[in-house]
Amino acid sequence: MRTIRFRDAMGLERVGQWETQDGHIVVGGQTYDPVEIDILPPATPSKVICQAGGYMDHRKESGFEDRPERPELFMKGPNCVVGHGDAIELPPGKEIVEFEAEFGIVISRQCRAIDESVALEYVEGFTCVNDISNRDDQHEERNWVRGKAFDGSLPMGPVVASPDEVPEDATLRLRQNGTVKQETTREMMIFSVEELISDISQLITLEPGDVIATGTPYGPDTLSAGDVVEVEFEGVGTLRNHVTAP
């Protein structure tokens, strides 16, 4: 099942299923064409927990050769979330703003201090995420608030795909203006989905709709106004955004 949130022509928010066969959205027997609606972020998180360096190839290009003993984490707030088709607005006065293709884990129900063996029972599904990063400030501070948590810095969508839709070796790919810039598979992650959820939940209560952004592979690069960026995750679909400048 691929669940989508959207606003219809009357301005009403709805939740439906995106049918893979014909590309239409179905809600209560009524059918919608995706091009005629406003697609919303597929989740409304109270918080987004992000993993830094989720793949060894990205850790190495960032200057770290060691495998971390536990996931390295930071947070983004609800202010960061924008949806499929929305603009990525470059923060004013910043020279190096980069994309980071990731997939997100959407939490289905409240959980705290859970074991890896039951972690998937708390997963609604997976979505595409683009962790937009302002390197100008990220490299100047220890907590990354300015570098990572600015408004609109987390495009997400277009759907939440149930876990059975997403293969264990699902491919994650990013295209910038049609050119593939990042590509990996889910099985290349340093920590599994279950390990991430269990580790985070030991100290942080996860609420329904919260998202865990799982980290990016090798290849983040600079965005420019006019770019079109697509994050594709097998089983989920493609998150597409355009880039604007102030």
Side-chain angles (χ1 to χ4, degrees), residues 31-177:
T31 301
Y32 296 84
D33 188 330
V35 302
E36 297 176 352
I37 61 172
D38 182 15
I39 297 176
L40 302 173
T44 54
S46 66
K47 55 190 170 294
V48 179
I49 313 296
C50 305
Q51 178 180 204
Y55 298 81
M56 278 307 302
D57 57 1
H58 180 52
R59 283 186 62 82
K60 289 179 179 179
E61 74 171 332
S62 301
F64 302 98
E65 294 292 333
D66 60 311
R67 184 186 189 279
E69 295 183 1
R70 63 182 184 178
E72 298 176 351
L73 307 173
F74 62 95
M75 294 181 70
K76 292 196 175 204
N79 65 299
C80 300
V81 177
V82 294
H84 173 78
D86 290 340
I88 297 170
E89 297 183 4
L90 299 176
K94 308 304 176 183
E95 295 184 0
I96 306 174
V97 180
E98 296 185 340
F99 56 72
E100 291 190 10
E102 307 187 13
F103 75 90
I105 306 163
V106 183
I107 300 300
S108 60
R109 54 195 176 104
Q110 188 183 82
C111 58
R112 174 73 157 80
I114 61 171
D115 190 81
E116 291 176 26
S117 63
V118 297
L120 288 181
E121 297 177 15
Y122 297 86
V123 175
E124 178 182 348
F126 303 104
T127 192
C128 299
V129 169
N130 195 345
D131 174 21
I132 306 300
S133 301
N134 155 25
R135 306 298 191 200
D136 291 35
D137 286 318
Q138 183 183 350
H139 294 158
E140 294 296 326
E141 60 182 23
R142 295 173 60 188
N143 59 22
W144 294 2
V145 171
R146 295 179 184 86
K148 290 283 194 175
F150 55 94
D151 289 351
S153 62
L154 195 75
M156 180 190 305
V159 303
V160 175
S162 55
D164 60 290
E165 297 275 1
V166 180
E168 290 289 338
D169 60 350
T171 298
L172 175 69
R173 182 182 295 115
L174 182 141
R175 292 182 294 271
Q176 182 180 28
N177 302 322

Side-chain angles (χ1 to χ4, degrees), residues 6 14-17 19 25-32:
F6 66 97
R14 298 185 180 275
V15 178
Q17 293 183 26
E19 301 291 343
I25 296 165
V26 177
V27 181
Q30 189 170 357
T31 301
Y32 296 84

Side-chain angles (χ1 to χ4, degrees), residues 199-220:
D199 180 88
I200 291 167
S201 74
Q202 300 309 309
L203 292 176
I204 300 172
T205 299
L206 295 170
E207 302 289 350
D210 282 355
V211 173
I212 299 171
T214 56
T216 198
Y218 177 89

